[in-house]
Amino acid sequence: MTLQIGHIALENSLFVAPMAGVTDRPFRMLCRELGAGYAVSEMVTSRKELWGTLKTSRRANHDGEPGPISVQAAGFDKDMMFEAAQYNIDRGAQIIDINMGCPAKKVCNKWAGSALMRDEPLALEIAEAVVRAALPHGVPVTLKMRTGWSEDSRNAVALARRFEQAGVQMLTVHGRTREQGYKGRAEYDTIAAVKAAVGIPVVANGDNTSPEKARDVLALTGADAIMVGRAAQGRPWIFREIAHFLDTGTHRAPPLVAEVRRLLLDHLKEHYALYGDYSGVRTARKHIGWYVRALPGGEAFRTAMNAIEDCDAQWRAVAGFFDTLAGQMDRIPAAAEGALDQLDEQAADALA
Ligand SMILES: Cc1cc2nc3c(=O)[nH]c(=O)nc-3n(C[C@H](O)[C@H](O)[C@H](O)COP(=O)(O)O)c2cc1C
């Protein structure tokens, strides 16, 4: 049976996680093309005065994106979140996701993101307000949270029950507390407890880095879907690898170097078109770095590429790198062991 969010049927149960500065429209579309059944946008602020900014309008760009269009809203005030839901629905959002998972300081100092889990009445008010805004339009509301604020306050289960009563139609749980940030390993017992406590679909998130891990997390939690964040950075084909493994119990061969060359070069064109020349060349660097990090010569290439200040030259350098690589190997090497440790460092860097 296909998974549904409210009345909306999804293609499969493999989701790409919302990651600010990463899961923009070009990256989401790439993940969808490569096997993700659903992609949530980067969070959009509920602060009205920022809606006209270039950053927010880029984040609100869904041109050509396959549905359902899901917009994540972040905020600390129920009226602002109500308005943000309405505003995004007017602009095409088919699902509104509430962010109660982000640990970044600039979000949490204002009592948004995962900080809301510490104030249960406020968290509930916000969920109710967003449901009130979305329901008349037939737009389902979903919510993403952590297991709790801290080790002593793992309140995801209690909150999940209340969110379900408030009309939230799917919950994603990242298996860490706010206090943990991205350190340590995600735990799945709390996600299993949330799944057991509610009737709406539950999505398991945190350290889903390989097909085997996805299988184990699904089994451990009983979750309805798996959400992959950092492991998809520079490796968007992880979704079809997981899908193949879950279907057949065997590993799909890693992609051909020629295919990755094409995917990345097409990704870059879309990226430059969204961000323009100045920002495009700069913001593309992290994506290129993720693609090449585990490849022979990848580190040296990344250093050299970071000095390029022109989209066209960057694009040609990437093409050249993969042409050289194609002379050395047919396929991209399978993901290295220890990938989890690399994930922790990257997240810390990205959110510092
Ligand atoms: C760079 C970065 C940006 C993120 N931005 C968001 C965000 O905007 N909204 C959100 O709910 N979670 C955000 N997250 C958290 C991820 O959605 C996810 O919960 C977390 O990375 C754990 O999953 P993973 O182990 O598969 O990466 C972000 C994570 C990273 C690394």
Side-chain angles (χ1 to χ4, degrees), residues 17-20 22 42-43 72 99 102 144 174 176 182 205-208 227-230 233 347 350-351:
M19 289 181 281
V22 182
E42 311 161 88
M43 65 181 150
Q72 189 184 62
N99 179 339
C102 187
K144 181 162 174 286
H174 173 193
R176 289 186 174 84
Y182 289 86
N205 170 236
D207 303 346
N208 287 315
M227 182 178 272
V228 179
R230 291 162 294 164
Q233 293 170 346
L351 295 172

Side-chain angles (χ1 to χ4, degrees), residues 56-225:
T56 301
S57 64
R58 279 192 190 124
R59 286 193 178 184
N61 182 310
H62 298 280
D63 296 348
E65 190 172 356
I69 303 300
S70 170
V71 173
Q72 189 184 62
F76 50 88
D77 176 274
K78 67 174 172 28
D79 297 327
M80 285 161 71
M81 286 292 275
F82 179 94
E83 273 193 76
Q86 277 192 325
Y87 178 84
N88 284 294
I89 291 166
D90 287 347
R91 273 151 196 78
Q94 294 164 304
I95 296 172
I96 299 286
D97 187 54
I98 303 173
N99 179 339
M100 291 199 194
C102 187
K105 279 218 175 68
K106 71 178 171 199
V107 177
C108 283
N109 280 349
K110 294 194 181 75
W111 282 97
S114 55
L116 289 169
M117 294 188 73
R118 205 159 60 161
D119 187 341
E120 291 188 15
L122 179 59
L124 197 65
E125 272 183 13
I126 286 180
E128 286 167 349
V130 175
V131 170
R132 232 182 6 260
L135 212 57
H137 301 276
V139 170
V141 173
T142 63
L143 188 145
K144 181 162 174 286
M145 62 179 169
R146 289 184 167 234
T147 53
W149 174 262
S150 62
E151 187 69 29
D152 308 334
S153 156
R154 264 182 226 258
N155 56 349
V157 173
L159 273 171
R161 287 202 184 96
R162 302 182 77 181
F163 290 143
E164 181 179 32
Q165 281 161 12
V168 169
Q169 291 185 276
M170 184 176 78
L171 290 167
T172 299
V173 186
H174 173 193
R176 289 186 174 84
T177 62
R178 155 68 178 81
E179 223 171 49
Q180 274 179 287
Y182 289 86
K183 302 265 181 322
R185 297 278 175 265
E187 57 90 8
Y188 304 106
D189 292 348
T190 307
I191 304 179
V194 168
K195 171 63 191 164
V198 296
I200 52 177
V202 172
V203 184
N205 170 236
D207 303 346
N208 287 315
T209 50
S210 67
E212 286 86 349
K213 189 74 190 281
R215 173 199 59 198
D216 294 348
V217 169
L218 279 171
L220 282 168
T221 59
D224 302 276

